[in-house]
Amino acid sequence: MATFFKRKATVVAIAALSLTVAGGGIAVAAQPESKGGQPAVRQAGQQPPVTAAEQRVAKAAMRATLAPPAPGQTAWAVVAQNGTLLQHSGNVVSASKFSGPGSFAGQYQVLLDYDIHRKAFLAGIGTVDPANVPPPGEISVAPRLLTPNGVFVQTRNSTGGYADRPFHVVVTN
């Protein structure tokens, strides 16, 4: 009986997220093929380079005490346009917005406490503010470069220009 309710709750959560995503844009990421390292010159549309500090934070997050979600369950996060983690499941450790040299507007990283290699990602422009409709835009999601427990999210405005947007992201297991 308990298994039935867990499965039903997962289906309801995914259905609610799908409806939310349908209004604000959708993106599903495939796992990219490994190219053996970071590019030397970064162009628009590429991820910011991974710093040594980011690698230390990601490794520390992998040592968290929670176990990965069971197969069929999801990890999720709601992130504000400034990179603040608003709501999340237990396995999400942090969210941040990239800034500084080599980054563009609308670039974010979400860290989890387990390896998300070969998982599927779903993201959509969205907010948790019931008084506002999220701004229009587009979103892309992919595994974070050289970070096995990181998700990279890129948001854009409706014309395709880089823009900060609030979003929801789901990692399926």
Side-chain angles (χ1 to χ4, degrees), residues 61-96:
M62 292 276 282
R63 291 189 290 268
T65 58
L66 293 177
Q73 293 185 338
T74 59
W76 57 271
V78 179
V79 181
Q81 69 184 28
N82 66 0
T84 302
L85 190 59
L86 298 175
Q87 296 177 348
H88 59 90
S89 63
N91 293 98
V92 175
V93 176
S94 67
S96 58

Side-chain angles (χ1 to χ4, degrees), residues 31-56:
Q31 299 289 334
E33 295 182 24
S34 174
K35 296 191 178 168
Q38 298 185 61
V41 177
R42 196 167 105 64
Q43 300 173 0
Q46 293 181 334
Q47 296 185 26
V50 178
T51 66
E54 288 173 342
Q55 286 181 333
R56 283 191 300 275

Side-chain angles (χ1 to χ4, degrees), residues 65-136:
T65 58
L66 293 177
Q73 293 185 338
T74 59
W76 57 271
V78 179
V79 181
Q81 69 184 28
N82 66 0
T84 302
L85 190 59
L86 298 175
Q87 296 177 348
H88 59 90
S89 63
N91 293 98
V92 175
V93 176
S94 67
S96 58
K97 181 180 177 305
F98 290 103
S99 61
S103 66
F104 296 94
Q107 293 185 323
Y108 305 88
Q109 173 177 279
V110 178
L111 285 179
L112 292 90
D113 64 358
Y114 64 99
D115 188 340
I116 57 171
H117 183 83
R118 298 189 184 258
K119 306 293 184 196
F121 313 111
L122 175 70
I125 304 293
T127 182
V128 292
D129 184 356
N132 293 309
V133 175

